[in-house]
Amino acid sequence: MLHFVLGGARSGKSRYAESQAALYHEQTGQVVTYMATAQSLDLEMQARITQHQNDRPDAWLTREEPLNVSDALADFSAKDIVILDCLTLWLMNVLDSERALQPCVDELLVALNSTPADVFIVSNEITLGVVPMGALSRKYVDELGRLHQRVAAQADKVTLMVAGIPLSVKSS
């Protein structure tokens, strides 16, 4: 099962994905692993990371994967639930690295399709605004929009979070 959760900043997307994973865990007994893509590059981001860590149940595992999400997904079994938070930061990490973007995106999509784990993916919906002025910002928004379309096409469920309210966009 692949559930894609999108929303703007502070829309409640992580909390919603976590609540859905917790419900799924209660029903199945599967182990929950929080795969975090954020990197602590400044104090503000460290505070965000710490808050997210404090919000998670102690029994959940955490795996820090700013880049190697595809390889990490291969490590999980049908006994696992993975919360991938977040695709937005992962894409930024790839763009900042020396890696070629399209092979990384293709590998991610193959990994999502082949992992036996149940996966909840969190990502920021930033493509609803105006076209950014800078070339780098436009490239990022364009690539994220394309990535979202491809992940949503594979997903069993897609939920858009607006002001803390989940709106079903796609359901199986």
Side-chain angles (χ1 to χ4, degrees):
M1 186 273 307
L2 179 58
H3 188 161
F4 190 28
V5 181
L6 295 156
R10 297 292 178 242
S11 63
K13 60 193 172 296
S14 292
R15 184 179 31 210
Y16 179 75
E18 292 165 7
S19 71
Q20 295 302 294
L23 286 172
Y24 214 66
H25 166 73
E26 288 176 19
Q27 295 167 354
T28 65
Q30 292 167 271
V31 175
V32 179
T33 299
Y34 200 99
M35 191 181 311
T37 62
Q39 298 181 76
S40 177
L41 301 176
D42 57 43
L43 292 175
E44 188 272 337
M45 184 55 92
Q46 180 55 53
R48 284 176 181 256
I49 291 169
T50 300
Q51 184 62 53
H52 273 275
Q53 290 169 337
N54 292 338
D55 289 345
R56 293 194 285 261
D58 292 337
W60 288 8
L61 305 174
T62 298
R63 184 163 177 171
E64 305 288 339
E65 289 294 344
L67 281 171
N68 298 317
V69 171
S70 302
D71 292 340
L73 285 169
D75 294 339
F76 295 100
S77 73
K79 297 178 181 176
D80 294 303
I81 297 169
V82 177
I83 301 171
L84 172 55
D85 194 355
C86 80
L87 206 54
T88 320
L89 291 174
W90 173 81
L91 182 66
M92 182 62 72
N93 295 339
V94 172
L95 288 170
D96 281 345
S97 75
E98 298 296 317
R99 298 177 184 203
L101 179 62
Q102 282 317 134
C104 290
V105 168
D106 292 343
E107 289 169 10
L108 173 66
L109 294 166
V110 168
L112 288 170
N113 193 48
S114 61
T115 185
D118 292 305
V119 181
F120 294 84
I121 301 177
V122 176
S123 194
N124 287 280
E125 180 50 83
I126 64 168
T127 63
L128 297 172
V130 298
V131 176
M133 291 181 66
L136 180 59
S137 296
R138 280 192 303 277
K139 177 180 177 158
Y140 179 71
V141 170
D142 288 349
E143 293 299 340
L144 186 62
R146 288 183 192 103
L147 177 58
H148 283 173
Q149 289 179 47
R150 293 179 71 188
V151 171
Q154 278 186 217
D156 301 297
K157 295 180 181 179
V158 178
T159 301
L160 177 64
M161 296 298 298
V162 178
I165 299 169
L167 303 172
S168 178
V169 176
K170 178 181 177 183
S171 59
S172 50

CSV table of all heavy atoms in Angstrom, one decimal, residues 11-46:
chain,number,residue,atom,x,y,z
A,11,SER,N,0.4,22.4,7.1
A,11,SER,CA,-1.0,22.0,6.8
A,11,SER,C,-1.5,20.8,7.6
A,11,SER,O,-2.6,20.4,7.5
A,11,SER,CB,-1.1,21.7,5.3
A,11,SER,OG,-0.2,20.6,5.0
A,12,GLY,N,-0.5,20.1,8.3
A,12,GLY,CA,-0.9,19.0,9.1
A,12,GLY,C,-0.5,17.7,8.4
A,12,GLY,O,-1.0,16.6,8.8
A,13,LYS,N,0.2,17.7,7.3
A,13,LYS,CA,0.5,16.5,6.5
A,13,LYS,C,1.3,15.5,7.2
A,13,LYS,O,1.0,14.3,7.2
A,13,LYS,CB,1.2,16.9,5.2
A,13,LYS,CG,2.5,17.6,5.3
A,13,LYS,CD,2.9,18.2,3.9
A,13,LYS,CE,4.1,19.1,4.1
A,13,LYS,NZ,3.9,20.3,5.0
A,14,SER,N,2.3,15.9,8.0
A,14,SER,CA,3.1,14.9,8.7
A,14,SER,C,2.3,14.3,9.8
A,14,SER,O,2.3,13.0,10.0
A,14,SER,CB,4.4,15.5,9.3
A,14,SER,OG,5.3,15.9,8.3
A,15,ARG,N,1.6,15.1,10.5
A,15,ARG,CA,0.7,14.6,11.6
A,15,ARG,C,-0.3,13.6,11.1
A,15,ARG,O,-0.6,12.6,11.7
A,15,ARG,CB,0.1,15.7,12.4
A,15,ARG,CG,-0.7,15.3,13.6
A,15,ARG,CD,-1.3,16.5,14.3
A,15,ARG,NE,-1.6,17.5,13.3
A,15,ARG,CZ,-1.6,18.8,13.5
A,15,ARG,NH1,-1.4,19.3,14.7
A,15,ARG,NH2,-1.8,19.7,12.6
A,16,TYR,N,-0.9,13.9,9.9
A,16,TYR,CA,-1.9,13.1,9.3
A,16,TYR,C,-1.3,11.7,8.9
A,16,TYR,O,-1.8,10.7,9.2
A,16,TYR,CB,-2.6,13.7,8.1
A,16,TYR,CG,-3.6,12.9,7.5
A,16,TYR,CD1,-4.8,12.6,8.1
A,16,TYR,CD2,-3.3,12.2,6.3
A,16,TYR,CE1,-5.8,11.8,7.5
A,16,TYR,CE2,-4.2,11.4,5.7
A,16,TYR,CZ,-5.5,11.2,6.3
A,16,TYR,OH,-6.4,10.4,5.7
A,17,ALA,N,-0.1,11.8,8.2
A,17,ALA,CA,0.5,10.5,7.8
A,17,ALA,C,0.9,9.7,9.0
A,17,ALA,O,0.7,8.5,9.0
A,17,ALA,CB,1.8,10.9,7.0
A,18,GLU,N,1.4,10.3,10.1
A,18,GLU,CA,1.7,9.6,11.3
A,18,GLU,C,0.5,9.0,11.9
A,18,GLU,O,0.5,7.8,12.4
A,18,GLU,CB,2.4,10.6,12.3
A,18,GLU,CG,3.7,11.0,11.9
A,18,GLU,CD,4.3,12.2,12.6
A,18,GLU,OE1,3.6,12.7,13.6
A,18,GLU,OE2,5.3,12.8,12.2
A,19,SER,N,-0.7,9.7,11.9
A,19,SER,CA,-1.9,9.1,12.5
A,19,SER,C,-2.4,8.0,11.7
A,19,SER,O,-2.8,7.0,12.3
A,19,SER,CB,-3.0,10.2,12.7
A,19,SER,OG,-3.5,10.6,11.4
A,20,GLN,N,-2.3,8.0,10.4
A,20,GLN,CA,-2.7,6.9,9.6
A,20,GLN,C,-1.8,5.7,9.7
A,20,GLN,O,-2.2,4.6,9.8
A,20,GLN,CB,-2.7,7.4,8.1
A,20,GLN,CG,-3.8,8.4,7.8
A,20,GLN,CD,-5.2,8.0,8.2
A,20,GLN,OE1,-5.7,7.1,7.6
A,20,GLN,NE2,-5.7,8.6,9.2
A,21,ALA,N,-0.5,6.0,9.8
A,21,ALA,CA,0.5,4.9,10.1
A,21,ALA,C,0.2,4.2,11.4
A,21,ALA,O,0.3,3.0,11.6
A,21,ALA,CB,1.9,5.4,10.0
A,22,ALA,N,-0.1,5.1,12.4
A,22,ALA,CA,-0.4,4.5,13.8
A,22,ALA,C,-1.7,3.6,13.7
A,22,ALA,O,-1.7,2.6,14.4
A,22,ALA,CB,-0.6,5.7,14.8
A,23,LEU,N,-2.7,4.1,13.0
A,23,LEU,CA,-3.9,3.3,12.9
A,23,LEU,C,-3.6,1.9,12.2
A,23,LEU,O,-4.1,0.9,12.6
A,23,LEU,CB,-5.0,4.0,12.1
A,23,LEU,CG,-5.7,5.1,12.9
A,23,LEU,CD1,-6.6,5.9,11.9
A,23,LEU,CD2,-6.5,4.6,14.0
A,24,TYR,N,-2.8,2.0,11.1
A,24,TYR,CA,-2.4,0.9,10.4
A,24,TYR,C,-1.6,-0.1,11.3
A,24,TYR,O,-1.8,-1.3,11.2
A,24,TYR,CB,-1.6,1.3,9.2
A,24,TYR,CG,-1.8,0.5,7.9
A,24,TYR,CD1,-3.0,0.4,7.3
A,24,TYR,CD2,-0.8,-0.3,7.4
A,24,TYR,CE1,-3.2,-0.4,6.2
A,24,TYR,CE2,-0.9,-1.0,6.3
A,24,TYR,CZ,-2.2,-1.1,5.7
A,24,TYR,OH,-2.3,-1.9,4.5
A,25,HIS,N,-0.7,0.5,12.1
A,25,HIS,CA,0.1,-0.3,13.0
A,25,HIS,C,-0.8,-1.1,14.0
A,25,HIS,O,-0.6,-2.2,14.3
A,25,HIS,CB,1.1,0.6,13.7
A,25,HIS,CG,1.7,-0.1,14.9
A,25,HIS,ND1,2.6,-1.1,14.8
A,25,HIS,CD2,1.4,0.1,16.3
A,25,HIS,CE1,3.0,-1.5,16.1
A,25,HIS,NE2,2.3,-0.8,16.9
A,26,GLU,N,-1.8,-0.4,14.5
A,26,GLU,CA,-2.8,-1.0,15.5
A,26,GLU,C,-3.5,-2.1,14.8
A,26,GLU,O,-3.8,-3.2,15.5
A,26,GLU,CB,-3.8,0.1,16.0
A,26,GLU,CG,-3.2,1.1,16.9
A,26,GLU,CD,-4.2,2.1,17.3
A,26,GLU,OE1,-5.4,1.9,17.2
A,26,GLU,OE2,-3.7,3.2,17.8
A,27,GLN,N,-3.9,-2.0,13.6
A,27,GLN,CA,-4.6,-3.0,12.9
A,27,GLN,C,-3.8,-4.2,12.5
A,27,GLN,O,-4.2,-5.4,12.5
A,27,GLN,CB,-5.3,-2.5,11.6
A,27,GLN,CG,-6.3,-1.4,11.9
A,27,GLN,CD,-6.7,-0.7,10.6
A,27,GLN,OE1,-6.1,-0.9,9.5
A,27,GLN,NE2,-7.7,0.2,10.7
A,28,THR,N,-2.5,-4.0,12.2
A,28,THR,CA,-1.6,-5.0,11.6
A,28,THR,C,-0.5,-5.5,12.5
A,28,THR,O,0.0,-6.6,12.3
A,28,THR,CB,-1.0,-4.5,10.3
A,28,THR,OG1,-0.1,-3.4,10.6
A,28,THR,CG2,-2.1,-4.1,9.3
A,29,GLY,N,-0.1,-4.7,13.4
A,29,GLY,CA,1.0,-5.0,14.3
A,29,GLY,C,2.4,-4.8,13.6
A,29,GLY,O,3.4,-5.1,14.1
A,30,GLN,N,2.4,-4.2,12.4
A,30,GLN,CA,3.6,-4.0,11.7
A,30,GLN,C,4.5,-3.0,12.4
A,30,GLN,O,4.0,-2.1,13.1
A,30,GLN,CB,3.3,-3.5,10.2
A,30,GLN,CG,2.6,-4.5,9.4
A,30,GLN,CD,2.1,-3.9,8.1
A,30,GLN,OE1,1.0,-3.4,8.1
A,30,GLN,NE2,2.9,-3.9,7.0
A,31,VAL,N,5.8,-3.1,12.2
A,31,VAL,CA,6.8,-2.2,12.8
A,31,VAL,C,6.8,-0.9,12.0
A,31,VAL,O,6.8,-0.9,10.7
A,31,VAL,CB,8.2,-2.8,12.7
A,31,VAL,CG1,9.2,-1.8,13.2
A,31,VAL,CG2,8.2,-4.1,13.6
A,32,VAL,N,6.8,0.3,12.7
A,32,VAL,CA,6.8,1.6,12.0
A,32,VAL,C,8.2,2.2,12.0
A,32,VAL,O,8.8,2.3,13.1
A,32,VAL,CB,5.8,2.6,12.7
A,32,VAL,CG1,5.9,3.9,12.0
A,32,VAL,CG2,4.4,2.0,12.7
A,33,THR,N,8.7,2.5,10.9
A,33,THR,CA,9.9,3.2,10.7
A,33,THR,C,9.7,4.6,10.1
A,33,THR,O,9.1,4.7,9.0
A,33,THR,CB,10.9,2.4,9.9
A,33,THR,OG1,11.2,1.2,10.5
A,33,THR,CG2,12.3,3.2,9.7
A,34,TYR,N,10.2,5.6,10.7
A,34,TYR,CA,10.1,7.0,10.2
A,34,TYR,C,11.4,7.2,9.4
A,34,TYR,O,12.5,7.3,10.0
A,34,TYR,CB,10.0,7.9,11.4
A,34,TYR,CG,9.4,9.3,11.0
A,34,TYR,CD1,8.1,9.6,11.2
A,34,TYR,CD2,10.2,10.3,10.5
A,34,TYR,CE1,7.6,10.8,10.9
A,34,TYR,CE2,9.7,11.5,10.2
A,34,TYR,CZ,8.4,11.8,10.4
A,34,TYR,OH,7.9,13.0,10.1
A,35,MET,N,11.3,7.3,8.1
A,35,MET,CA,12.5,7.6,7.3
A,35,MET,C,12.5,9.1,7.0
A,35,MET,O,11.7,9.7,6.3
A,35,MET,CB,12.4,6.9,5.9
A,35,MET,CG,13.7,6.9,5.2
A,35,MET,SD,13.8,6.1,3.6
A,35,MET,CE,13.1,4.5,4.0
A,36,ALA,N,13.5,9.8,7.6
A,36,ALA,CA,13.6,11.2,7.6
A,36,ALA,C,14.6,11.6,6.6
A,36,ALA,O,15.7,11.1,6.5
A,36,ALA,CB,14.0,11.7,9.0
A,37,THR,N,14.3,12.6,5.7
A,37,THR,CA,15.2,13.1,4.7
A,37,THR,C,15.8,14.5,5.1
A,37,THR,O,16.7,14.9,4.4
A,37,THR,CB,14.5,13.2,3.4
A,37,THR,OG1,13.4,14.2,3.5
A,37,THR,CG2,13.9,11.9,2.9
A,38,ALA,N,15.3,15.1,6.1
A,38,ALA,CA,15.8,16.4,6.5
A,38,ALA,C,17.2,16.3,7.0
A,38,ALA,O,17.7,15.3,7.6
A,38,ALA,CB,14.9,17.0,7.6
A,39,GLN,N,18.0,17.4,6.7
A,39,GLN,CA,19.3,17.5,7.2
A,39,GLN,C,19.4,18.8,8.1
A,39,GLN,O,18.8,19.8,7.8
A,39,GLN,CB,20.3,17.7,6.1
A,39,GLN,CG,20.3,16.5,5.2
A,39,GLN,CD,21.4,16.6,4.1
A,39,GLN,OE1,22.5,16.5,4.3
A,39,GLN,NE2,20.9,16.9,2.9
A,40,SER,N,20.1,18.6,9.2
A,40,SER,CA,20.2,19.7,10.2
A,40,SER,C,21.3,20.7,9.8
A,40,SER,O,22.4,20.6,10.2
A,40,SER,CB,20.5,19.2,11.6
A,40,SER,OG,20.6,20.2,12.5
A,41,LEU,N,20.9,21.6,8.9
A,41,LEU,CA,21.9,22.6,8.4
A,41,LEU,C,21.9,23.9,9.1
A,41,LEU,O,22.8,24.7,8.9
A,41,LEU,CB,21.6,22.8,6.9
A,41,LEU,CG,21.7,21.5,6.0
A,41,LEU,CD1,21.3,21.9,4.6
A,41,LEU,CD2,23.0,20.8,6.1
A,42,ASP,N,20.9,24.2,9.9
A,42,ASP,CA,20.9,25.4,10.7
A,42,ASP,C,20.0,25.2,12.0
A,42,ASP,O,19.4,24.1,12.1
A,42,ASP,CB,20.4,26.6,9.9
A,42,ASP,CG,19.0,26.3,9.3
A,42,ASP,OD1,18.1,25.8,10.0
A,42,ASP,OD2,18.8,26.7,8.2
A,43,LEU,N,20.0,26.1,12.9
A,43,LEU,CA,19.3,26.0,14.1
A,43,LEU,C,17.8,25.8,13.9
A,43,LEU,O,17.2,25.0,14.7
A,43,LEU,CB,19.6,27.1,15.1
A,43,LEU,CG,21.1,27.2,15.6
A,43,LEU,CD1,21.3,28.5,16.4
A,43,LEU,CD2,21.4,26.0,16.4
A,44,GLU,N,17.3,26.5,13.0
A,44,GLU,CA,15.8,26.5,12.8
A,44,GLU,C,15.4,25.1,12.3
A,44,GLU,O,14.4,24.5,12.7
A,44,GLU,CB,15.4,27.6,11.8
A,44,GLU,CG,13.9,27.7,11.6
A,44,GLU,CD,13.3,26.8,10.5
A,44,GLU,OE1,14.1,26.3,9.6
A,44,GLU,OE2,12.1,26.4,10.6
A,45,MET,N,16.2,24.5,11.4
A,45,MET,CA,15.9,23.2,10.9
A,45,MET,C,16.1,22.1,12.0
A,45,MET,O,15.3,21.2,12.1
A,45,MET,CB,16.7,22.8,9.6
A,45,MET,CG,16.4,21.5,9.0
A,45,MET,SD,14.6,21.3,8.6
A,45,MET,CE,14.7,21.8,6.9
A,46,GLN,N,17.1,22.3,12.8
A,46,GLN,CA,17.3,21.4,13.9
A,46,GLN,C,16.1,21.4,14.9
A,46,GLN,O,15.7,20.4,15.4
A,46,GLN,CB,18.6,21.8,14.7
A,46,GLN,CG,18.9,20.8,15.9
A,46,GLN,CD,18.9,19.3,15.5
A,46,GLN,OE1,19.6,19.0,14.5
A,46,GLN,NE2,18.1,18.5,16.1
